[in-house]
Amino acid sequence: MAINNALKLFWTALTTFQKWFFVIFLLGSFFSFLSPLFLGGKVVELFTFTAIVGLICAVSGVLTSIYQARGEVIVYGFIIVNTVTYAWIAYASDLYGQVIQNLVLLLPRLCCLNRWN
């Protein structure tokens, strides 16, 4: 019941543009997650740790965009999840510069969260 009320509150607080943005990019995230199936892969490839982290990263990125535009403090939670999951994906893909960049840029975000009024 509480989750239903939270989802209802989330959806009713969005503008029409934000609702469309959320739906379109959420569908894009799931399409990206399912793309190995479309390219001839197997279902087992969808449930690797990196694939699930990638889906979490994509969804948290969409939520970060919405809450950042609204200027709400909850955005910092989604930013931290998005940054850490993207750093993990970059590490798994041997993109060490991206790992360093994301982890270094995480530090000012944590300081901003501490100083939020």
Side-chain angles (χ1 to χ4, degrees):
M1 188 74 173
I3 294 175
N4 190 20
N5 288 338
L7 290 174
K8 191 178 213 181
L9 181 64
F10 166 75
W11 190 253
T12 56
L14 297 177
T15 65
T16 304
F17 173 77
Q18 290 171 337
K19 288 176 184 177
W20 278 103
F21 181 90
F22 181 71
V23 169
I24 289 170
F25 284 98
L26 192 66
L27 288 174
S29 298
F30 283 117
F31 179 77
S32 175
F33 177 70
L34 296 174
S35 65
L37 287 179
F38 303 134
L39 299 173
K42 300 183 184 208
V43 176
V44 159
E45 295 174 7
L46 295 179
F47 298 104
T48 62
F49 183 72
T50 305
I52 293 171
V53 169
L55 180 62
I56 293 169
C57 181
V59 172
S60 66
V62 172
L63 291 171
T64 296
S65 299
I66 291 173
Y67 282 113
Q68 197 165 21
R70 295 174 64 187
E72 295 188 24
V73 72
I74 195 171
V75 73
Y76 286 105
F78 292 119
I79 285 175
I80 291 168
V81 169
N82 185 262
T83 303
V84 170
T85 54
Y86 184 76
W88 177 263
I89 293 168
Y91 180 77
S93 301
D94 298 329
L95 301 171
Y96 302 117
Q98 288 288 319
V99 174
I100 294 168
Q101 176 188 5
N102 278 281
L103 294 180
V104 167
L105 290 178
L106 182 62
L107 297 175
R109 291 173 180 160
L110 292 175
C111 292
C112 291
L113 175 61
N114 186 29
R115 302 221 179 244
W116 185 277
N117 290 334

